[in-house]
Amino acid sequence: MKQTVKKSTWAVLLCVLALLAAVVVLENVLDPNKNIMVFAALKKGAVYALVAVSMNLLNGFTGLFSLGQAGFMLLGAYTYAILTIPAAQRDTVYYIYNGSAVNFSLPELFGGGTAGLVLGVLAALILGGCVAAAVAWLIGLPVLRLKSDYLAIATLGFGEIIRAVFQWDKLGPVTNGANALKSFPTFSSFNIQNAAGETVLRLSTFTAFLLAGICIAVIVLLINSTYGRAFKAIRDDEVAAEAMGINLSKHKRLAFVISSFFAGVGGGMFAMFANQAQAKTFTTAMTYEILLIVVIGGIGSVSGSCIAAFLYVAASEWWLRFLDAETFVGGVKVPLLRNGFRMVVFSVVIMIVVLFFRRGLMGDKELPDLFKKRRKGGAAK
């Protein structure tokens, strides 16, 4: 049994490594100018996969229905942006407020160059996650006393409040008010250039996949640990879990804080993807998107959340894009094809998927489970 599990795990690990290698090859073979939507969908899919897995940790594995993911992403995005904007660019970014209250940049503090960029970005992402986790711990003290719909409403309200606070003009020297934060390192900053400034190796999409993959791997390790088993016990039956000696309030708060930490990291990565951080981007609709990805992939399935994230982003922003363009055939305009029709068709597709896959694409199964089934089927034959 243990050998089968190890083989399945190694098979998945090899698939992930092959995927990372394929991303590097794809990014350097295809023309990025002609395939903008392809790489944009891949990067955003990687970011959404991480945030969806972090939400699944709370909603699917612990049984806590939270809708504050966009708020925690906002905290991570702003923390990352504020800490990584170069000192020389701060007057330009904060021109309305005559400069920034924060006058240092982590990449520069780490010495600049490639090493400074890598260390500074990693430190800023981790600090963004820590800020989100700290706020989650504070609001979790009263909020986690609530259950079901009440918890969802409370966390949804938190997301709206934090978005309004970050646009408050009094905080302008730190958050730039309602204006966007820009000029910080993005995924494209990790492309390798020669002395002439020409890009010789593109690693922007690879960077997004690598960061998301490492974070998701940590979440998977947590789920398979004793803490993860405690989370699942709370989800299945709180009374039985408490009778077994599990501290409900402690483990609920722990799950909430960890989920928020990775949502904060995902928010920093989203800022890297969007090339800017602005509070109005992190709306309730973004939380609903993440929740929809979790439901489509399967509540309680990390693999399902990852697969659904890429399918959702690709379908909504790439594959159906042609439906937004007016098309003429033989001089006759094709009916319905116009701006916005893409989302109508996408909504219908989502409804069909939910109807036929009521437990999601993966249910509560993971990719290693599929390998096990195949091995059992082959042995039976």
Side-chain angles (χ1 to χ4, degrees), residues 133-194:
V135 173
W137 185 84
L138 288 174
I139 69 169
L141 294 174
V143 166
L144 291 179
R145 297 177 184 272
L146 304 173
K147 293 184 179 181
S148 188
D149 299 342
Y150 300 102
L151 175 60
I153 293 170
T155 51
L156 187 64
F158 156 75
E160 292 299 311
I161 291 170
I162 203 71
R163 186 157 56 92
V165 168
F166 270 70
Q167 296 181 87
W168 188 25
D169 194 60
K170 295 290 185 180
L171 293 176
V174 178
T175 65
N176 207 23
N179 306 294
L181 292 173
K182 299 180 180 179
S183 301
F184 49 78
T186 64
F187 290 132
S188 299
S189 302
F190 291 88
N191 291 336
I192 298 176
Q193 298 179 334
N194 57 21

Side-chain angles (χ1 to χ4, degrees), residues 240-265:
E242 190 171 25
M244 293 169 60
I246 296 174
N247 188 323
L248 296 184
S249 60
K250 173 187 173 182
H251 284 84
K252 284 182 179 180
R253 195 176 301 118
L254 183 62
F256 191 52
V257 168
I258 294 173
S259 173
S260 302
F261 172 85
F262 287 106
V265 175

